[in-house]
């Protein structure tokens, strides 16, 4: 559903939309209007069955990248909006960037970033509400950088008591980690349950090593 370009959407309105299972997108980078999406089939990544390929686990354990949290939001969303193989234009418009920057400023949008030699080489951002984390976009400029960021995100969610990782849609990339599609009603039930608590995104130390991150996930999955 298209949204009037002059209608003000505040961070509070955006959070209420997420709580109802909908999220905004734009047609192109220079499009000032937004439209709301409510997929019939929703992508989720179950935390208790999150799969880490053996080679990637080695990369995480070796701390190939310096992982930072909420360090440079503007650089992350800028990178997510860059052209990529199979995608010449972006839905991350200037208006989208302003809205999510506002969410970041009030503590409801977060980044997990991979740095190498002082250069941002991969990462992701998403929206936190209740015990849910809604992944928005990710990017990679070096092999495995976005995947390492995802593993660190999952460990952070597990440590903080989160119960729902929403990926919005399913991609081949996410399927390899165990992402699945569920119906709208099932998703809303899970989201409603997640809204009954408040996750602690800061529970895991920002300087947690790759070995510590993997251990957090392993302990959680063994106890589930």
């Amino acid at each position: 559903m298209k949204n009037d370009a002059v209608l003000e959407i505040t961070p509070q309105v955006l959070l209420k939309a997420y709580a109802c299972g909908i999220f905004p997108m734009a047609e192109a980078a220079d499009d000032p209007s937004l439209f709301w999406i409510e997929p019939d089939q929703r992508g989720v990544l179950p935390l208790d069955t999150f799969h880490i390929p053996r080679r990637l686990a080695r990369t995480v354990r070796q701390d190939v990248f310096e992982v930072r949290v909420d360090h440079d939001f503007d650089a992350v969303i800028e990178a997510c909006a860059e052209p990529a193989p199979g995608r010449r234009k972006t839905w991350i418009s200037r208006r989208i960037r302003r809205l999510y920057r506002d969410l970041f400023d009030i503590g409801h949008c977060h980044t997990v970033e991979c740095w190498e030699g002082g250069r941002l080489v991969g990462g992701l951002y998403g929206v936190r509400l209740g015990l849910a984390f809604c992944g928005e976009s990710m990017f990679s400029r070096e092999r495995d950088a976005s995947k390492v960021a995802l593993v660190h995100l999952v460990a952070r969610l597990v440590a903080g008591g989160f119960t729902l990782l929403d990926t919005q849609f399913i991609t081949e990339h996410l399927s390899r980690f165990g992402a699945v599609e569920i119906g709208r009603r099932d998703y809303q039930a899970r989201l409603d349950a997640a809204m009954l608590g408040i996750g602690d995104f800061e529970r895991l130390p920002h300087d947690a090593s790759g070995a510590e991150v993997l251990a957090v996930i392993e302990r959680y999955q063994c106890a589930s």
Side-chain angles (χ1 to χ4, degrees):
M1 179 177 66
K2 200 78 171 183
N3 179 68
D4 190 324
V6 300
L7 177 64
E8 181 183 9
I9 301 177
T10 65
Q12 290 72 27
V13 169
L14 196 52
L15 289 174
K16 288 180 180 179
Y18 271 94
C20 293
I22 62 177
F23 54 90
M25 295 184 74
E27 292 285 0
D30 57 354
D31 186 357
S33 62
L34 303 177
F35 59 94
W36 297 103
I37 300 291
E38 186 181 18
D40 289 330
Q41 295 293 312
R42 194 75 167 235
V44 297
L45 190 48
L47 300 174
D48 58 348
T49 55
F50 178 67
H51 173 67
I52 307 174
R54 186 173 301 176
R55 185 186 62 79
L56 178 60
R58 287 199 301 269
T59 301
V60 172
R61 188 174 290 109
Q62 291 168 357
D63 292 317
V64 172
F65 305 110
E66 177 190 357
V67 179
R68 303 178 186 177
V69 177
D70 293 341
H71 177 73
D72 195 339
F73 173 83
D74 294 324
V76 170
I77 199 168
E78 176 73 24
C80 286
E82 291 176 350
R87 186 195 70 210
R88 289 184 295 176
K89 66 178 185 177
T90 180
W91 58 269
I92 303 176
S93 65
R94 287 187 290 272
R95 192 178 183 198
I96 289 281
R97 297 185 201 192
R98 289 195 301 269
L99 277 171
Y100 286 85
R101 175 71 209 200
D102 290 344
L103 279 184
F104 178 79
D105 289 341
I106 64 173
H108 278 281
C109 191
H110 297 282
T111 64
V112 180
E113 312 159 15
C114 287
W115 292 74
E116 186 177 47
R119 184 171 69 98
L120 178 63
V121 295
L124 55 85
Y125 77 98
V127 175
R128 171 186 60 82
L129 66 162
L131 296 172
F133 188 89
C134 303
E136 285 296 314
S137 188
M138 60 198 312
F139 76 98
S140 189
R141 293 168 174 160
E142 295 291 343
R143 182 178 181 179
D144 290 339
S146 64
K147 297 175 184 177
V148 170
L150 179 60
V151 173
H152 276 255
L153 171 67
V154 168
R156 184 162 295 278
L157 298 181
V158 165
F162 289 79
T163 59
L164 177 62
L165 174 50
D166 170 19
T167 67
Q168 297 180 349
F169 303 106
I170 290 290
T171 64
E172 181 181 353
H173 173 74
L174 292 172
S175 295
R176 294 171 182 168
F177 291 96
V180 296
E181 283 188 333
I182 60 176
R184 182 185 299 175
R185 182 175 298 180
D186 187 5
Y187 173 77
Q188 191 62 52
R190 298 189 193 194
L191 180 59
D192 290 344
M195 294 301 294
L196 298 177
I198 299 177
D200 183 359
F201 198 78
E202 300 298 324
R203 181 70 179 272
L204 187 70
H206 282 210
D207 61 353
S209 70
E212 291 170 325
V213 160
L214 293 172
V216 167
I217 295 173
E218 182 179 1
R219 285 195 300 269
Y220 172 77
Q221 293 185 337
C222 287
S224 298

